[in-house]
Amino acid sequence: MKKFVLFLLIISCYSVFAQPFYQKITTGQIANDISSSSQLAWGDFNNDGYQDLIIVPWNDGCWPCSYPILLYKNVGDGTFIREINTIGQQVINGNGAAWGDYDNDGKLDLYITRHFNQTNLLFHNDGNGNFTQVLSGSIVTDANSSLGCSWGDYNKDGWLDLFVSNGQNQNDALYKNNGNGTFTRITNDPIVLDGAEGRSCAWGDYNNDGWPDMFVVNYGGQPDMLYKNNGNGTFTRIYNSGTTNDNAYGSGCSWADYDNDGWLDLYVTNNNSQNRLYHNERNGTFTLSGTLPSFENGYSYIANWADFNNDGWIDLFVPKRNGLNSLFMNANGVGFTKVTGDVVAYEGGVSDAGAWADFNNDGKIDLAVGNGSTTPLVNNYLYKNVFTGGNYITLKLSGCSLNKSAIGARIRIVDGNKVFMREVGGGNASQNMLWQHFGLGSITSIDSVIVYWTTGNTQKFTNVLSNQLMSISECTIGIINSQLPVAYELSQNYPNPFNPATEIQYSIVKSGSVKLSVFDISGRLVTTIVDENQNYGTYKYSFDASGLSSGVYVYRLEAPGFSSVKKMVLIK
């Protein structure tokens, strides 16, 4: 097998493709704003169904230089508008960024790291495009040299915690979410006692035990660090995994299952030596892959994975500060082809990070690249995917009352003997969109989509059509029948009367916008349980009336070509 992989490498590393994959966007603010940029993160901060973009300024060649944070709102027509709000008014020398809903209010909050013993920044999303800067608590008052940051629910209590990788031989930081809008810094666990030149960091359940583990990349010729989650709120540092002993000038790390075997593999970038692609051997150890990305040289920083050609095999973008950026096409999990005939591979030399998102919701993954630390300053890059071929599905997950941004949730798509796996990532200094995109190749109808929520719940959807953006809420209870129902139906809630919770089930025969709302007897809106696009099928939701008074309530279902209303009685 190894001899075959090396042969594939030799014949394919300079392949040129006739059909372009990407078109560079040259108009609009993202393409033309001048700044010294570093990391970037995609996230739908205003819940309008389109991915927005944050770009953090950074200039390691000019310590006192500061630049505005660039927050771009996706208008929905393929263009972006720069937002000058609480975030956009900040002028800083920053580094990393990560979106995550830390207070479970259904809106993405933002964390930004800063180097040179500065305090980091946390912005609470107030809704309607407004943010409030959090000014108290160790999560924003600790003065460290921070670079990477990653959200993850390490103790699985339903509240997102935050890991921050620190440089200058300072201990890394783990902030435990207290569930009330505050955090406590953990100070007595191995994961925060190994002071090093930390750069990037990323959560990933590499041993498939259901608990998020942590990988930290170190600079300065120091070994990288892998911490196994013990499942009881503590961690053990793993020294013999095969991923931590390269002693290079590491900068970035990113988890992905590149060979579709159901286990997370790991890519690590270095500045003064070859990058490393580690294959997960499914026994707690990794081996250095003989495939092409492992041999890539250059001053690389934050690389990220996505299936840009929708063939069912996840691909890799590697930014460069001293040469052309690299785009690697996955060759069925046994090798990679380096794309050289595309605009994405024509540029580089100033790039710190690349992050993926489908910003126009056409089912094809687009790419943003942050550029900086040069004189004169260079524009950032935004590339639109124009490749035609391959089916897809994009899954938008939302937790019910806990971990609403679903970070750490795992998805398996099964079709015949084909299995695809993704894990919702909390960032690694930069961040892909939280919605999970799967290329499906020739698959037009998926046998099953299985979601493993961090709360322990599991959902299964069967006979799911490809080529759609599918919203999945954890509030939906049990196994969902995604076959075509015979008719629209809004069932009577059960139990009824109820105290304090009841279940509401409905069936829809046409995919589209669905809204399930609850009103009091006077017609005043109490809550909206569902307001999203849904695939046809049968759904069941829980309604908790703990904060309501006894009485008669009305629930209404609105779906394409259908509307129905029923009454229910709350008795306390």
Side-chain angles (χ1 to χ4, degrees):
M1 177 61 74
K2 290 184 177 178
K3 291 181 180 179
F4 170 76
V5 171
L6 291 174
F7 176 70
L8 177 65
L9 163 66
I10 293 171
I11 66 173
S12 64
C13 61
Y14 293 108
S15 297
V16 177
F17 297 88
Q19 182 182 355
F21 293 113
Y22 285 93
Q23 174 187 23
K24 185 177 181 180
I25 303 298
T26 58
T27 60
Q29 291 181 289
I30 292 180
N32 291 291
D33 283 344
I34 299 294
S35 182
S36 183
S37 301
S38 180
Q39 307 307 307
L40 59 171
W42 292 96
D44 180 12
F45 74 82
N46 56 358
N47 288 337
D48 66 349
Y50 291 92
Q51 297 297 316
D52 311 300
L53 181 65
I54 188 79
I55 303 178
V56 180
W58 158 261
N59 192 330
D60 61 1
C62 176
W63 311 136
C65 294
S66 298
Y67 309 88
I69 299 175
L70 303 176
L71 176 61
Y72 296 102
K73 181 179 72 173
N74 191 330
V75 178
D77 60 0
T79 66
F80 295 80
I81 295 176
R82 184 176 163 198
E83 292 284 279
I84 309 299
N85 53 19
T86 302
I87 296 175
Q89 293 174 357
Q90 297 275 344
V91 179
I92 66 170
N93 193 345
N95 199 278
W99 296 100
D101 182 6
Y102 75 83
D103 59 345
N104 289 330
D105 65 352
K107 301 182 290 290
L108 289 179
D109 311 298
L110 178 67
Y111 195 76
I112 292 177
T113 60
R114 298 197 289 179
H115 203 32
F116 313 127
N117 292 311
Q118 301 178 84
T119 56
N120 299 324
L121 308 175
L122 177 61
F123 297 96
H124 177 264
N125 192 332
D126 302 324
N128 298 317
N130 299 314
F131 292 82
T132 297
Q133 184 177 352
V134 177
L135 299 175
S136 61
S138 60
I139 197 169
V140 293
T141 59
D142 288 342
N144 293 309
S145 292
S146 303
L147 291 108
C149 56
S150 186
W151 294 102
D153 183 11
Y154 80 90
N155 56 358
K156 296 178 68 171
D157 65 352
W159 298 88
L160 285 181
D161 313 296
L162 183 72
F163 186 88
V164 178
S165 51
N166 294 322
Q168 298 184 1
N169 293 315
Q170 299 169 347
N171 287 338
D172 296 325
L174 176 60
Y175 298 98
K176 177 182 176 295
N177 193 326
N178 299 320
N180 59 3
T182 68
F183 294 81
T184 298
R185 182 169 182 174
I186 302 300
T187 60
N188 59 350
D189 190 89
I191 198 171
V192 293
L193 297 176
D194 299 317
E197 288 288 341
R199 287 293 177 97
S200 177
C201 58
W203 297 102
D205 180 13
Y206 78 90
N207 56 0
N208 284 359
D209 66 352
W211 294 86
D213 311 297
M214 171 55 62
F215 191 82
V216 182
V217 175
N218 291 321
Y219 199 68
Q222 298 174 334
D224 299 328
M225 299 180 294
L226 176 64
Y227 297 98
K228 182 178 75 73
N229 193 324
N230 298 321
N232 59 2
T234 67
F235 293 84
T236 298
R237 183 173 175 181
I238 305 300
Y239 290 90
N240 58 353
S241 67
T243 62
T244 60
N245 55 1
D246 63 353
N247 296 327
Y249 280 66
S251 284
C253 62
S254 185
W255 298 99
D257 177 17
Y258 77 83
D259 57 351
N260 289 344
D261 68 350
W263 295 74
L264 289 177
D265 309 297
L266 179 67
Y267 192 70
V268 176
T269 58
N270 294 311
N271 290 165
N272 72 335
S273 62
Q274 294 175 336
N275 299 331
R276 305 283 194 267
L277 175 60
Y278 296 105
H279 179 260
N280 192 329
E281 296 300 322
R282 298 184 277 185
N283 59 5
T285 67
F286 296 76
T287 56
L288 182 63
S289 173
T291 55
L292 182 59
S294 286
F295 303 109
E296 187 73 1
N297 284 299
Y299 192 167
S300 307
Y301 203 0
I302 302 298
N304 276 308
W305 300 86
D307 184 1
F308 69 81
N309 59 348
N310 282 349
D311 67 347
W313 299 92
I314 199 163
D315 311 298
L316 181 67
F317 175 79
V318 181
K320 298 286 189 63
R321 278 196 182 182
N322 64 346
L324 298 180
N325 296 330
S326 297
L327 181 62
F328 294 101
M329 179 188 297
N330 191 331
N332 299 333
V334 296
F336 288 82
T337 299
K338 188 171 183 178
V339 178
T340 60
D342 196 85
V343 63
V344 172
Y346 292 159
E347 301 179 297
V350 292
S351 302
D352 272 358
W356 304 89
D358 180 6
F359 72 74
N360 55 0
N361 290 348
D362 65 352
K364 297 176 289 189
I365 287 291
D366 311 300
L367 177 67
V369 179
N371 297 318
S373 301
T374 61
T375 303
L377 300 178
V378 177
N379 296 37
N380 298 309
Y381 305 147
L382 179 63
Y383 301 106
K384 177 184 175 182
N385 193 324
V386 294
F387 183 72
T388 57
N391 298 302
Y392 77 94
I393 190 168
T394 301
L395 303 177
K396 177 185 176 183
L397 303 187
S398 56
C400 189
S401 59
L402 297 173
N403 194 1
K404 285 198 171 183
S405 47
I407 290 174
R410 182 170 285 202
I411 304 166
R412 291 178 71 242
I413 286 182
V414 180
D415 193 83
N417 61 356
K418 295 180 180 179
V419 181
F420 313 102
M421 186 268 284
R422 298 282 190 277
E423 194 171 280
V424 182
N428 57 2
S430 281
Q431 189 177 38
N432 294 341
M433 69 173 183
L434 294 175
W435 302 357
Q436 295 302 292
H437 167 272
F438 291 79
L440 298 173
S442 61
I443 298 172
T444 57
S445 179
I446 304 164
D447 290 345
S448 60
V449 175
I450 307 168
V451 181
Y452 303 90
W453 300 91
T454 60
T455 56
N457 293 326
T458 300
Q459 291 173 307
K460 183 177 181 181
F461 304 77
T462 58
N463 300 319
V464 179
L465 290 178
S466 304
N467 301 321
Q468 64 163 314
L469 170 61
M470 180 178 178
S471 296
I472 301 177
S473 171
E474 189 184 8
C475 293
T476 312
I477 301 171
I479 303 300
I480 304 305
N481 182 358
S482 291
Q483 296 181 348
L484 183 64
V486 296
Y488 284 103
E489 182 181 9
L490 177 63
S491 301
Q492 185 64 52
N493 65 297
Y494 180 83
N496 188 44
F498 66 98
N499 178 29
T502 188
E503 296 175 0
I504 301 173
Q505 180 173 309
Y506 60 84
S507 297
I508 54 175
V509 299
K510 183 179 179 180
S511 301
S513 178
V514 176
K515 193 171 187 178
L516 178 63
S517 306
V518 178
F519 303 85
D520 64 20
I521 196 62
S522 69
R524 180 182 62 87
L525 177 66
V526 173
T527 188
T528 299
I529 301 175
V530 179
D531 187 6
E532 61 192 19
N533 288 323
Q534 290 186 333
N535 195 36
Y536 59 76
T538 299
Y539 297 82
K540 186 185 291 184
Y541 286 85
S542 177
F543 171 59
D544 190 335
S546 298
L548 300 177
S549 302
S550 297
V552 177
Y553 291 85
V554 175
Y555 58 101
R556 181 177 68 194
L557 175 67
E558 299 170 273
F562 178 78
S563 179
S564 181
V565 176
K566 290 187 179 297
K567 294 181 180 180
M568 56 184 172
V569 180
L570 171 63
I571 298 178
K572 290 187 173 181

